[in-house]
Amino acid sequence: MITFNFIGIGKDEDFIMEDGELLWNQREVLCFNILVDHPFYYDKDFENLPDYYKMFCIDNDHVNYVKRFYKKVKSVEFLPLAGTEIDSDYIPFYKRKFDIIFTGNYTPPTTFEKYINRIDDEYAAFYWRIVNELMTNTDMPMDKAMEKYIRLEIPDASEEDLKEGMAAMIFIDLYVRFHFRGQVIKSLVDNGYIVHVFGKGWDMLPCIHPENLIRHGSINSYECICNMKNTKISLNIMPWFKNGGHDRIFNSMLSKSVCVTDESEFIKNKYVEGQDYIKYSLSRINELPDKIEKILCDRKGSAEIAQNGYIKTKFAHTWKHRAEELAKLLN
């Protein structure tokens, strides 16, 4: 059985038999669970694992987190996300309909302030210090920032204290994630670039030039890739994966669009910046518009970057490659 994010494992009543035993245990089924978010989102799900169980994380930092805090998991490995190439006619770079697209939802960061401020001023100040640390040190993994400030408050905090504390602060991850998602898009639309966004919530993004933000609403994954195949630039903003990759990167490259993304250690190790993709920094978002301008002006060079990214992804980072890795483990 292969699943994502604990679906069908543990508390899912559909897979609990009349005697209370989990179906997978009763039938001695090997369960592969691929976690595509940070493990602290699923803290309670680690309590009841199948007997025959293997976990995969999409970020090396997440693997280390599971090994450190969830000793019940006897087997956890790194398995990066991957991309999908759909069959359709290739559209030459210069003929593509869109200049820039981003696929993903938006939630105003203010939505999460009620959780930051929900207890008292002392707790709120503690949470805001973590947020400010991440805003300043944009390369710092989320759990490292959380642990730093927990230890400042409780120097002798146990491993259990740390695990429980971080699992109770996932709103910080969401606040910071959507803050930067909004800032990246604003940096472009307020500098005169038309950005097409596919996803919910973009009508709530405050910007000076909303006329440059073309909102297409929610679409499914297949439609996202269809639009990537018709854009010159496919923008990625990492969900704070500092040692992994997001499927937007792989899908963008398989669509032969130029992938513009903030970096992670994994992406730096697998691709060459400036040759396979274009990077920007969350700490220097103001530089992004100039990078976009160069891509749009240099059609030949940008088409070569798109082609290079396509070749590397085609031969190493599709879901077929990930299925082959899983098959090797089964054998």
Side-chain angles (χ1 to χ4, degrees):
M1 189 272 278
I2 300 176
T3 189
F4 293 82
N5 292 352
F6 290 95
I7 296 170
I9 293 176
K11 299 176 182 177
D12 195 324
E13 293 183 0
D14 290 339
F15 298 98
I16 295 177
M17 309 308 288
E18 291 182 2
D19 60 2
E21 188 176 12
L22 195 61
L23 169 67
W24 317 117
N25 293 344
Q26 189 181 80
R27 303 295 179 88
E28 297 185 350
V29 174
L30 174 61
C31 298
F32 282 180
N33 183 22
I34 303 170
L35 214 57
V36 300
D37 298 301
H38 196 288
F40 57 41
Y41 277 88
Y42 302 96
D43 182 56
K44 299 301 180 187
D45 292 295
F46 281 89
E47 293 176 2
N48 298 300
L49 300 176
D51 295 336
Y52 307 93
Y53 179 76
K54 187 170 183 64
M55 174 172 279
F56 301 90
C57 295
I58 59 159
D59 187 300
N60 282 295
D61 292 339
H62 298 175
V63 173
N64 294 332
Y65 189 93
V66 171
K67 288 180 177 179
R68 177 180 175 185
F69 291 111
Y70 300 103
K71 303 298 185 184
K72 286 183 179 180
V73 180
K74 302 304 181 185
S75 179
V76 55
E77 291 186 21
F78 174 61
L79 184 77
L81 285 172
T84 301
E85 182 178 12
I86 61 172
D87 292 326
S88 65
D89 293 336
Y90 169 70
I91 302 172
F93 188 83
Y94 68 95
K95 287 186 176 181
R96 295 192 167 201
K97 178 180 178 181
F98 307 118
D99 282 345
I100 311 163
I101 71 166
F102 175 75
T103 58
N105 299 327
Y106 175 74
T107 302
T110 52
T111 303
F112 307 103
E113 289 183 2
K114 62 186 177 183
Y115 303 107
I116 295 174
N117 301 318
R118 73 184 189 274
I119 301 176
D120 56 33
D121 292 345
E122 187 176 351
Y123 269 93
F126 168 72
Y127 294 140
W128 284 117
R129 283 196 291 273
I130 301 173
V131 170
N132 291 332
E133 174 80 49
L134 292 162
M135 298 284 194
T136 305
N137 298 319
T138 55
D139 292 330
M140 179 179 278
M142 186 67 57
D143 51 272
K144 298 302 181 188
M146 292 176 174
E147 179 174 357
K148 174 181 175 179
Y149 285 90
I150 291 173
R151 288 203 179 280
L152 285 174
E153 293 292 323
I154 314 171
D156 59 347
S158 67
E159 292 290 274
E160 188 65 22
D161 292 334
L162 290 170
K163 179 176 73 71
E164 290 182 0
M166 288 188 276
M169 290 192 284
I170 58 176
F171 50 82
I172 291 177
D173 180 52
L174 295 168
Y175 182 96
V176 174
R177 178 188 307 188
F178 285 111
H179 166 81
F180 282 107
R181 187 171 290 190
Q183 291 300 308
V184 168
I185 299 300
K186 282 171 63 175
S187 75
L188 295 177
V189 298
D190 286 344
N191 277 283
Y193 294 93
I194 303 295
V195 180
H196 295 261
V197 287
F198 298 85
K200 296 184 294 185
W202 288 105
D203 56 317
M204 294 183 282
L205 177 70
C207 50
I208 299 170
H209 292 288
E211 69 276 9
N212 292 333
L213 185 64
I214 312 301
R215 301 183 297 270
H216 294 267
S218 294
I219 58 174
N220 62 37
S221 299
Y222 177 82
E223 292 169 318
C224 283
I225 298 173
C226 288
N227 285 294
M228 286 179 178
K229 295 199 74 165
N230 206 8
T231 189
K232 299 180 182 76
I233 296 170
S234 181
L235 189 62
N236 178 56
I237 307 155
M238 289 281 200
W240 224 260
F241 299 160
K242 300 304 177 184
N243 203 350
H246 194 275
D247 54 324
R248 263 191 302 266
I249 293 174
F250 308 116
N251 286 334
S252 299
M253 292 179 174
L254 288 172
S255 300
K256 294 189 179 180
S257 57
V258 176
C259 177
V260 178
T261 181
D262 54 323
E263 279 192 322
S264 75
E265 286 300 313
F266 173 78
I267 296 301
K268 284 196 290 185
N269 290 335
K270 298 298 181 182
Y271 295 95
V272 178
E273 196 279 322
Q275 179 178 306
D276 304 322
Y277 71 102
I278 299 298
K279 74 170 182 179
Y280 66 89
S281 171
L282 294 179
S283 62
R284 298 189 302 277
I285 294 175
N286 60 303
E287 298 175 1
L288 179 58
D290 287 342
K291 292 176 181 286
I292 295 295
E293 183 69 16
K294 289 176 183 176
I295 296 169
L296 295 175
C297 289
D298 183 8
R299 289 181 175 179
K300 183 174 183 295
S302 298
E304 289 177 0
I305 291 172
Q307 179 67 17
N308 292 338
Y310 170 80
I311 291 170
K312 280 196 177 177
T313 306
K314 173 80 171 177
F315 289 100
H317 300 293
T318 69
W319 281 109
K320 181 176 185 292
H321 294 105
R322 304 299 180 250
E324 288 170 349
E325 291 178 58
L326 296 177
K328 287 178 184 176
L329 290 169
L330 283 171
N331 290 333

